[in-house]
Amino acid sequence: MSRAAVLGSPVGHSRSPDLHRAAYAALGLDGWTYDAIETTADELPARVGGAGSDWVGFSVTMPCKLAALAFADVRTARTELIGSANTLVRTPDGWRADCTDVDGVTGALAEAGLPAGAAQAVIVGAGGTALPALAALAEVGVHDVAVVARDEGRARGVLELAQRLDVRARVVDFGDDDAVRAACTDGDVTISTVPAPGAATIADALAASKRVVDVIYDPWPTPLAQAVESAGGVVVGGIVMLLNQAYSQVEQFTGLTAPRSAMAAAVGVTL
Protein backbone atom coordinates (compact mmCIF):
# COMPACT_ATOMS: atom_id res chain seq x y z
CA MET A 1 0.00 0.00 0.00
CA SER A 2 1.12 3.56 -0.75
CA ARG A 3 -0.27 6.46 1.22
CA ALA A 4 -0.55 10.22 0.72
CA ALA A 5 -2.55 13.01 2.34
CA VAL A 6 -3.20 16.72 2.53
CA LEU A 7 -2.07 18.45 5.74
CA GLY A 8 -3.52 21.72 7.01
CA SER A 9 -5.90 23.36 9.44
CA PRO A 10 -8.75 23.58 8.73
CA VAL A 11 -8.57 20.90 6.06
CA GLY A 12 -12.01 19.31 6.02
CA HIS A 13 -13.14 21.46 3.07
CA SER A 14 -10.22 20.41 0.83
CA ARG A 15 -11.02 18.94 -2.59
CA SER A 16 -7.55 17.41 -2.84
CA PRO A 17 -8.78 13.96 -1.73
CA ASP A 18 -11.30 13.96 -4.59
CA LEU A 19 -8.58 14.84 -7.09
CA HIS A 20 -5.93 12.41 -5.90
CA ARG A 21 -8.30 9.48 -5.36
CA ALA A 22 -9.70 9.95 -8.87
CA ALA A 23 -6.16 10.04 -10.25
CA TYR A 24 -5.04 6.88 -8.48
CA ALA A 25 -8.17 5.02 -9.61
CA ALA A 26 -7.70 6.12 -13.23
CA LEU A 27 -4.05 5.08 -13.11
CA GLY A 28 -4.98 1.64 -11.76
CA LEU A 29 -3.03 2.17 -8.54
CA ASP A 30 -4.90 -0.29 -6.36
CA GLY A 31 -4.12 0.10 -2.69
CA TRP A 32 -3.13 3.77 -2.94
CA THR A 33 -4.89 5.97 -0.40
CA TYR A 34 -5.21 9.72 0.11
CA ASP A 35 -6.66 11.39 3.19
CA ALA A 36 -7.14 14.82 4.74
CA ILE A 37 -5.35 15.12 8.09
CA GLU A 38 -5.90 18.07 10.40
CA THR A 39 -2.39 19.38 11.09
CA THR A 40 -1.03 22.65 12.44
CA ALA A 41 2.35 24.10 11.50
CA ASP A 42 3.78 23.02 14.87
CA GLU A 43 2.52 19.48 14.33
CA LEU A 44 3.86 19.05 10.79
CA PRO A 45 7.45 17.98 11.62
CA ALA A 46 6.28 15.14 13.86
CA ARG A 47 3.52 14.15 11.45
CA VAL A 48 5.81 13.87 8.42
CA GLY A 49 8.88 12.77 10.33
CA GLY A 50 6.93 9.91 11.86
CA ALA A 51 5.44 8.74 8.56
CA GLY A 52 6.31 5.15 7.74
CA SER A 53 7.88 3.95 4.51
CA ASP A 54 4.43 3.47 2.96
CA TRP A 55 3.94 7.25 2.84
CA VAL A 56 4.95 8.66 -0.55
CA GLY A 57 3.94 12.31 -0.26
CA PHE A 58 1.95 15.08 1.32
CA SER A 59 0.04 18.00 -0.10
CA VAL A 60 0.39 20.99 2.22
CA THR A 61 -2.06 23.81 2.73
CA MET A 62 -2.29 26.66 5.22
CA PRO A 63 -0.96 27.16 7.82
CA CYS A 64 1.74 24.58 7.13
CA LYS A 65 3.55 25.84 4.04
CA LEU A 66 6.43 27.55 5.82
CA ALA A 67 6.80 24.62 8.19
CA ALA A 68 6.97 22.23 5.23
CA LEU A 69 9.77 24.24 3.67
CA ALA A 70 11.72 24.34 6.92
CA PHE A 71 11.26 20.60 7.50
CA ALA A 72 12.34 19.44 4.04
CA ASP A 73 15.69 17.76 3.42
CA VAL A 74 15.74 18.86 -0.24
CA ARG A 75 14.13 21.91 -1.85
CA THR A 76 13.42 22.75 -5.47
CA ALA A 77 14.83 26.02 -6.75
CA ARG A 78 11.41 27.62 -7.11
CA THR A 79 10.43 26.65 -3.58
CA GLU A 80 13.53 28.28 -2.17
CA LEU A 81 12.88 31.36 -4.30
CA ILE A 82 9.25 31.71 -3.22
CA GLY A 83 9.84 30.75 0.40
CA SER A 84 7.01 28.27 0.93
CA ALA A 85 6.06 24.73 -0.05
CA ASN A 86 2.77 23.02 -0.80
CA THR A 87 4.24 19.61 -1.64
CA LEU A 88 6.47 17.13 0.20
CA VAL A 89 7.66 14.06 -1.72
CA ARG A 90 9.64 11.15 -0.29
CA THR A 91 12.91 10.67 -2.21
CA PRO A 92 16.09 8.64 -1.63
CA ASP A 93 17.61 11.87 -0.28
CA GLY A 94 14.76 12.55 2.16
CA TRP A 95 11.65 14.70 1.90
CA ARG A 96 11.73 17.09 -1.07
CA ALA A 97 9.75 20.33 -0.95
CA ASP A 98 8.18 21.86 -4.04
CA CYS A 99 5.68 24.62 -4.77
CA THR A 100 3.23 23.36 -7.38
CA ASP A 101 1.09 26.41 -6.61
CA VAL A 102 3.08 28.02 -9.43
CA ASP A 103 1.76 25.38 -11.83
CA GLY A 104 -1.72 26.08 -10.52
CA VAL A 105 -1.49 29.75 -11.40
CA THR A 106 0.10 29.22 -14.81
CA GLY A 107 -2.70 26.78 -15.66
CA ALA A 108 -5.32 29.32 -14.59
CA LEU A 109 -3.65 32.04 -16.64
CA ALA A 110 -3.80 29.81 -19.71
CA GLU A 111 -7.48 29.04 -19.03
CA ALA A 112 -8.17 32.77 -18.77
CA GLY A 113 -6.71 33.26 -22.24
CA LEU A 114 -3.71 35.37 -21.27
CA PRO A 115 -2.20 36.27 -24.64
CA ALA A 116 1.41 35.73 -25.59
CA GLY A 117 3.35 38.90 -25.01
CA ALA A 118 1.18 40.07 -22.12
CA ALA A 119 3.17 42.67 -20.22
CA GLN A 120 1.17 43.96 -17.26
CA ALA A 121 -0.74 42.35 -14.42
CA VAL A 122 -2.38 43.14 -11.11
CA ILE A 123 -2.08 41.01 -7.98
CA VAL A 124 -4.66 41.72 -5.28
CA GLY A 125 -3.26 40.95 -1.85
CA ALA A 126 0.25 40.41 -0.56
CA GLY A 127 -0.03 37.23 1.50
CA GLY A 128 1.37 33.77 0.90
CA THR A 129 -0.60 33.07 -2.28
CA ALA A 130 0.63 36.28 -3.90
CA LEU A 131 4.18 34.89 -4.03
CA PRO A 132 3.55 31.89 -6.34
CA ALA A 133 1.19 34.12 -8.33
CA LEU A 134 4.06 36.53 -8.95
CA ALA A 135 6.42 33.69 -9.83
CA ALA A 136 3.89 32.33 -12.31
CA LEU A 137 3.48 35.73 -13.97
CA ALA A 138 7.24 36.03 -14.34
CA GLU A 139 7.36 32.52 -15.79
CA VAL A 140 4.93 33.45 -18.57
CA GLY A 141 6.78 36.67 -19.33
CA VAL A 142 4.85 39.32 -17.42
CA HIS A 143 7.33 41.72 -15.84
CA ASP A 144 5.24 44.73 -14.81
CA VAL A 145 2.97 44.12 -11.82
CA ALA A 146 0.78 46.33 -9.65
CA VAL A 147 0.28 44.91 -6.15
CA VAL A 148 -2.99 46.01 -4.54
CA ALA A 149 -2.28 46.12 -0.81
CA ARG A 150 -3.04 48.15 2.28
CA ASP A 151 0.50 49.55 2.41
CA GLU A 152 4.06 48.87 1.26
CA GLY A 153 4.94 47.28 4.58
CA ARG A 154 2.44 44.48 4.03
CA ALA A 155 3.68 44.04 0.46
CA ARG A 156 7.35 43.83 1.41
CA GLY A 157 7.66 40.09 0.73
CA VAL A 158 6.09 40.41 -2.71
CA LEU A 159 8.24 43.41 -3.59
CA GLU A 160 11.40 41.58 -2.52
CA LEU A 161 10.49 38.55 -4.61
CA ALA A 162 9.79 40.86 -7.57
CA GLN A 163 13.35 42.17 -7.35
CA ARG A 164 14.72 38.62 -7.41
CA LEU A 165 12.54 37.80 -10.42
CA ASP A 166 13.48 41.02 -12.26
CA VAL A 167 9.84 42.14 -12.19
CA ARG A 168 8.88 45.82 -11.92
CA ALA A 169 6.41 46.01 -9.04
CA ARG A 170 4.57 48.89 -7.44
CA VAL A 171 1.99 49.10 -4.69
CA VAL A 172 -1.51 50.40 -5.34
CA ASP A 173 -3.53 51.40 -2.28
CA PHE A 174 -6.29 48.84 -1.62
CA GLY A 175 -8.53 51.67 -0.46
CA ASP A 176 -8.13 53.84 -3.58
CA ASP A 177 -10.83 52.61 -5.98
CA ASP A 178 -9.78 54.96 -8.78
CA ALA A 179 -6.16 53.79 -8.65
CA VAL A 180 -7.20 50.14 -8.50
CA ARG A 181 -9.57 50.59 -11.45
CA ALA A 182 -6.86 52.31 -13.49
CA ALA A 183 -4.36 49.51 -12.79
CA CYS A 184 -6.92 46.86 -13.73
CA THR A 185 -7.88 48.69 -16.92
CA ASP A 186 -4.24 48.83 -18.02
CA GLY A 187 -3.38 45.27 -16.99
CA ASP A 188 -3.69 42.15 -19.09
CA VAL A 189 -4.84 40.05 -16.13
CA THR A 190 -5.75 40.44 -12.46
CA ILE A 191 -5.07 37.71 -9.91
CA SER A 192 -7.05 38.06 -6.68
CA THR A 193 -5.42 36.20 -3.79
CA VAL A 194 -7.59 37.57 -0.98
CA PRO A 195 -10.66 36.02 0.71
CA ALA A 196 -13.97 36.62 -1.03
CA PRO A 197 -15.27 39.22 1.48
CA GLY A 198 -12.13 41.34 1.05
CA ALA A 199 -12.26 41.29 -2.75
CA ALA A 200 -15.97 42.08 -2.63
CA THR A 201 -15.26 45.52 -1.14
CA ILE A 202 -13.44 46.59 -4.32
CA ALA A 203 -15.16 44.27 -6.80
CA ASP A 204 -16.48 47.12 -8.93
CA ALA A 205 -12.96 48.50 -9.42
CA LEU A 206 -11.49 45.05 -10.08
CA ALA A 207 -14.22 44.39 -12.65
CA ALA A 208 -12.45 46.83 -14.96
CA SER A 209 -10.05 43.94 -15.67
CA LYS A 210 -10.11 42.16 -19.01
CA ARG A 211 -9.61 38.80 -17.31
CA VAL A 212 -9.47 37.75 -13.66
CA VAL A 213 -8.14 34.72 -11.83
CA ASP A 214 -9.85 34.41 -8.43
CA VAL A 215 -8.09 31.89 -6.17
CA ILE A 216 -11.29 31.13 -4.27
CA TYR A 217 -13.26 28.01 -5.26
CA ASP A 218 -15.72 27.55 -2.41
CA PRO A 219 -18.23 29.08 -2.27
CA TRP A 220 -18.50 29.90 -5.98
CA PRO A 221 -19.22 32.23 -7.65
CA THR A 222 -17.69 34.91 -5.47
CA PRO A 223 -18.96 38.50 -5.52
CA LEU A 224 -15.82 39.37 -7.51
CA ALA A 225 -16.55 36.68 -10.10
CA GLN A 226 -20.11 37.93 -10.48
CA ALA A 227 -18.94 41.53 -10.90
CA VAL A 228 -16.39 40.59 -13.56
CA GLU A 229 -18.86 38.50 -15.53
CA SER A 230 -21.48 41.27 -15.34
CA ALA A 231 -18.91 43.69 -16.75
CA GLY A 232 -18.14 41.36 -19.65
CA GLY A 233 -14.76 40.14 -18.45
CA VAL A 234 -13.36 36.61 -18.30
CA VAL A 235 -13.09 35.01 -14.86
CA VAL A 236 -11.38 31.77 -13.86
CA GLY A 237 -11.95 30.32 -10.40
CA GLY A 238 -9.65 28.66 -7.94
CA ILE A 239 -10.81 25.17 -8.87
CA VAL A 240 -8.73 25.49 -12.04
CA MET A 241 -5.70 26.44 -9.96
CA LEU A 242 -6.35 23.51 -7.63
CA LEU A 243 -6.52 21.13 -10.59
CA ASN A 244 -3.29 22.30 -12.17
CA GLN A 245 -1.28 22.20 -8.97
CA ALA A 246 -2.65 18.71 -8.28
CA TYR A 247 -1.59 17.41 -11.69
CA SER A 248 2.01 18.11 -10.77
CA GLN A 249 1.63 16.61 -7.30
CA VAL A 250 0.17 13.38 -8.66
CA GLU A 251 3.04 13.07 -11.11
CA GLN A 252 5.62 13.64 -8.38
CA PHE A 253 3.95 11.15 -6.03
CA THR A 254 3.40 8.40 -8.62
CA GLY A 255 5.98 8.95 -11.35
CA LEU A 256 3.14 8.66 -13.88
CA THR A 257 1.40 11.17 -16.14
CA ALA A 258 -1.59 12.72 -14.40
CA PRO A 259 -4.97 11.58 -15.80
CA ARG A 260 -6.23 15.10 -16.26
CA SER A 261 -9.72 14.37 -17.55
CA ALA A 262 -10.50 12.00 -14.68
CA MET A 263 -9.22 14.49 -12.11
CA ALA A 264 -11.17 17.36 -13.65
CA ALA A 265 -14.36 15.29 -13.72
CA ALA A 266 -13.96 14.58 -10.00
CA VAL A 267 -14.49 18.28 -9.25
CA GLY A 268 -17.07 18.94 -11.94
CA VAL A 269 -14.76 20.47 -14.56
CA THR A 270 -14.87 19.46 -18.22
CA LEU A 271 -11.62 19.71 -20.16
Side-chain angles (χ1 to χ4, degrees), residues 143-242:
H143 287 280
D144 190 341
V145 176
V147 182
V148 178
R150 297 291 182 186
D151 55 62
E152 288 203 12
R154 297 191 186 195
R156 184 174 297 112
V158 180
L159 297 177
E160 290 175 352
L161 177 58
Q163 285 188 319
R164 296 195 293 274
L165 293 170
D166 195 26
V167 171
R168 295 184 300 277
R170 60 188 176 90
V171 174
V172 174
D173 184 355
F174 193 99
D176 188 338
D177 278 9
D178 290 340
V180 172
R181 185 175 291 104
C184 291
T185 300
D186 291 341
D188 295 293
V189 66
T190 295
I191 303 175
S192 176
T193 70
V194 299
T201 63
I202 57 171
D204 288 345
L206 297 177
S209 307
K210 303 175 185 68
R211 53 189 67 83
V212 171
V213 173
D214 188 345
V215 304
I216 305 300
Y217 65 83
D218 186 25
W220 187 263
T222 62
L224 172 59
Q226 292 173 322
V228 173
E229 288 181 341
S230 294
V234 174
V235 61
V236 173
I239 199 69
V240 175
M241 285 180 54
L242 186 70

Side-chain angles (χ1 to χ4, degrees), residues 36-124:
I37 302 176
E38 192 77 14
T39 306
T40 66
D42 289 341
E43 293 169 338
L44 181 139
R47 179 82 66 192
V48 180
S53 60
D54 53 340
W55 285 91
V56 298
F58 294 95
S59 308
V60 182
T61 188
M62 298 302 291
C64 297
K65 293 185 177 183
L66 295 179
L69 180 66
F71 174 83
D73 303 294
V74 183
R75 302 170 182 85
T76 63
R78 64 181 179 180
T79 301
E80 289 191 326
L81 181 68
I82 293 165
S84 71
N86 77 325
T87 306
L88 289 170
V89 185
R90 189 188 290 278
T91 75
D93 298 317
W95 290 99
R96 183 184 71 231
D98 192 21
C99 185
T100 70
D101 285 331
V102 178
D103 304 320
V105 179
T106 55
L109 292 172
E111 181 72 15
L114 185 69
Q120 298 184 68
V122 177
I123 295 177
V124 184

